[in-house]
């Protein structure tokens, strides 16, 4: 049956392509029709000049004979060869369409196709989708069409829709999952990101509400905090946005891939973004030996340490430095950073308390606190 269908389709395509070549023309034009028309105009002009007495009878007869000879020669030279050329061209085109194209298509199919593969209906493919993502999605969609209240199915399908940029389907899936399964931080964040993507990066009111609800359920998630800060920036609340981005950068782990984006928004809202590694530095670090990569990271941290000694009023910088030394397992340096930060921001102040809270979280000790100040290293009470 397959080969019969292929043969019928090939014949139909060949007929469509050859139809213009098979039509007959009632008045075929020669290649020298224009030349013949010129000679005929010359004969008519000659008659007008003879009638006006501008040329003598003898001269007129000689001219008419010469023009007539040229007219006959042009007519005889153009008509027969044109027919022969058209015939040769038509035969070549017909041969190409009827023989070469089907033969070429058949050879390509045998070489690159699977003519021996048996038919597999859609039902059978959906039952055994393997790793075919399109079939897996189609199977899930068929299941949800039959069981629209299956919240787990919508929950699984929603992020797949988002990744494949089916944003309308993703929004519907997230809303169904939220309606059936109830709110969760992951579902609310996914819905918010879908709404932002569908509005060209603008955090709409609905998206902001989704992120705010997600942040209440799971405080501190960098994704929700970023979008909430972005909403403030887009609504013109520059100071609040910069504070939110600063706090997000301060809490970022060392080497967080999204930190450069946050620093960019800090600079955009009028803050002072810390200079970090460039894209070229990151690409080079991937190919470095572990020892070289460690040396590169330590060099960046040392550079930040030097900047803070010149400008100790950078609260977010002390937070980042202390966290960086803690990640490097350099407790002594982390303690020095904490003590230096507390010298600039005393413990009784809000920022000093944040430094101490981070130190407690990281397990960093500043040494004894005396008169509201951190005692220098080696000094005890």
């Amino acid at each position: 049956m397959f080969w019969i269908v292929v043969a019928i389709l090939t014949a139909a395509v060949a007929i469509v392509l050859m139809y213009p070549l098979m039509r007959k023309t009632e008045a075929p034009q020669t290649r020298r029709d224009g030349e013949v028309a010129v000679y005929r105009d010359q004969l008519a002009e000659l008659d007008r000049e003879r009638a006006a007495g501008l040329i003598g009878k003898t001269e007129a007869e000689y001219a008419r004979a010469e023009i007539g000879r040229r007219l006959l020669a042009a007519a005889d030279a153009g008509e027969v060869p044109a027919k022969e050329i058209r015939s040769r061209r038509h035969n070549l085109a017909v041969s190409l369409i009827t023989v070469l194209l089907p033969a070429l298509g058949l050879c390509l199919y045998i070489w690159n196709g699977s003519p021996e593969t048996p038919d597999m209906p859609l039902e059978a493919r959906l039952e055994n989708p393997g790793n075919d993502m399109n079939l897996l999605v189609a199977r899930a969609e068929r299941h949800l069409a039959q069981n629209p209240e299956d919240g787990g199915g919508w929950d699984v399908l929603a992020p797949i829709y988002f990744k494949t940029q089916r944003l309308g389907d993703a929004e519907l899936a997230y809303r169904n999952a939220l309606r059936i399964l109830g709110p969760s931080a992951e579902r609310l964040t996914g819905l918010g990101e879908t709404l932002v993507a569908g509005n060209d990066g603008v955090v709409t009111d609905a998206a902001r509400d989704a992120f705010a609800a997600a942040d209440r359920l799971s405080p501190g998630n960098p994704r929700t905090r970023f979008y909430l800060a972005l909403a403030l920036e887009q609504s013109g609340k520059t100071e609040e946005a910069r504070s939110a981005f600063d706090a997000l950068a301060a809490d970022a782990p060392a080497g967080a891939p999204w930190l450069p984006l946050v620093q960019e928004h800090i600079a955009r809202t009028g803050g002072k973004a810390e200079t970090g590694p460039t894209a070229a530095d990151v690409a080079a670090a991937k190919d470095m030996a572990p020892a070289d990569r460690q040396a590169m990271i330590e060099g960046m941290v040392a550079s930040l340490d030097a900047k803070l000694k010149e400008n100790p009023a950078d609260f977010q910088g002390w937070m980042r430095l202390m966290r960086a030394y803690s990640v490097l397992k350099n407790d002594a340096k982390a303690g020095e950073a904490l003590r230096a930060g507390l010298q600039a921001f005393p413990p009784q102040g809000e920022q000093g308390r944040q430094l101490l809270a981070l130190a407690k979280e990281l397990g960093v000790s500043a040494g004894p606190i005396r008169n509201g100040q951190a005692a220098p290293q080696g000094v005890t009470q």
Side-chain angles (χ1 to χ4, degrees):
M1 179 60 69
F2 172 78
W3 294 110
I4 293 174
V5 173
V6 169
I8 293 173
L9 292 176
T10 303
V13 172
I15 291 173
V16 170
L17 293 176
M18 289 189 299
Y19 177 72
L21 304 178
M22 294 186 293
R23 289 186 302 175
K24 294 182 179 180
T25 55
E26 296 180 357
Q29 299 293 317
T30 66
R31 293 178 302 167
R32 307 187 69 177
D33 283 349
E35 187 176 352
V36 170
V38 170
Y39 290 141
R40 286 176 178 170
D41 289 342
Q42 288 181 353
L43 288 175
E45 181 66 22
L46 183 61
D47 290 338
R48 288 192 294 270
E49 291 179 354
R50 179 71 183 89
L54 298 176
I55 187 173
K57 180 178 179 181
T58 303
E59 290 84 356
E61 292 297 332
Y62 280 123
R64 181 183 300 278
E66 179 61 23
I67 295 172
R69 183 187 65 78
R70 294 180 181 181
L71 176 60
L72 292 174
D76 292 340
E79 187 172 355
V80 176
K83 290 181 179 179
E84 293 177 354
I85 290 173
R86 284 200 307 274
S87 178
R88 288 196 297 269
R89 288 178 178 174
H90 288 184
N91 292 337
L92 179 61
V94 169
S95 300
L96 179 64
I97 293 171
T98 57
V99 178
L100 293 182
L101 288 182
L104 179 62
L106 179 62
C107 292
L108 288 175
Y109 177 71
I110 293 175
W111 173 56
N112 201 35
S114 302
E116 301 301 326
T117 301
D119 294 340
M120 183 177 292
L122 179 60
E123 186 72 21
R125 284 182 286 160
L126 290 178
E127 291 299 328
N128 297 284
N131 294 325
D132 191 326
M133 181 56 66
N134 292 326
L135 289 178
L136 290 170
V137 171
R139 182 177 180 178
E141 289 173 337
R142 186 183 66 169
H143 170 76
L144 289 172
Q146 299 170 353
N147 303 276
E149 296 302 312
D150 181 3
W154 293 114
D155 206 27
V156 170
L157 207 53
I160 297 175
Y161 281 148
F162 179 76
K163 290 179 181 178
T164 55
Q165 290 299 296
R166 295 173 58 178
L167 300 178
D169 293 332
E171 181 182 351
L172 176 62
Y174 274 120
R175 291 193 183 280
N176 283 334
L178 287 166
R179 174 178 58 84
I180 298 169
L181 300 177
S184 73
E186 190 63 27
R187 293 185 198 108
L188 289 165
T189 302
L191 175 61
E193 288 180 327
T194 301
L195 294 173
V196 171
N199 288 276
D200 298 324
V202 176
V203 183
T204 61
D205 291 342
R208 185 192 59 219
D209 292 343
F211 290 127
D215 191 57
R216 287 193 295 270
L217 291 174
S218 179
N221 187 295
R223 288 164 61 195
T224 56
R225 292 175 64 187
F226 173 81
Y227 284 110
L228 289 172
L230 182 62
L232 292 171
E233 179 185 347
Q234 292 176 349
S235 61
K237 299 177 181 178
T238 306
E239 294 293 335
E240 296 178 39
R242 183 168 62 249
S243 298
F245 282 124
D246 282 337
L248 181 57
D251 294 339
W258 42 265
L259 186 56
L261 177 62
V262 174
Q263 297 288 359
E264 179 183 337
H265 282 277
I266 292 174
R268 193 179 296 174
T269 52
K272 183 178 179 182
E274 291 295 326
T275 304
T278 64
D281 294 334
V282 174
K286 292 180 180 178
D287 299 327
M288 287 181 176
D292 294 336
R293 188 184 302 113
Q294 184 73 7
M296 176 182 175
I297 295 172
E298 290 176 354
M300 293 177 183
V301 175
S303 175
L304 176 59
D305 196 346
K307 290 179 182 178
L308 289 173
K309 289 178 180 178
E310 296 176 359
N311 178 29
D314 184 1
F315 167 70
Q316 298 296 341
W318 291 115
M319 296 280 281
R320 281 191 293 273
L321 183 63
M322 185 167 51
R323 188 184 293 274
Y325 277 131
S326 178
V327 171
L328 292 174
K329 308 298 183 184
N330 193 334
D331 295 336
K333 285 288 187 180
E336 290 180 10
L338 175 58
R339 287 189 292 275
L342 291 175
Q343 292 291 329
F345 302 97
Q348 62 269 24
E350 175 62 28
Q351 292 170 317
R353 286 196 293 271
Q354 291 184 39
L355 285 169
L356 290 172
L358 178 61
K360 183 177 180 180
E361 177 186 342
L362 299 176
V364 175
S365 174
I369 304 296
R370 191 188 317 172
N371 297 327
Q373 298 288 333
Q377 188 176 13
V379 178
T380 60
Q381 285 182 315

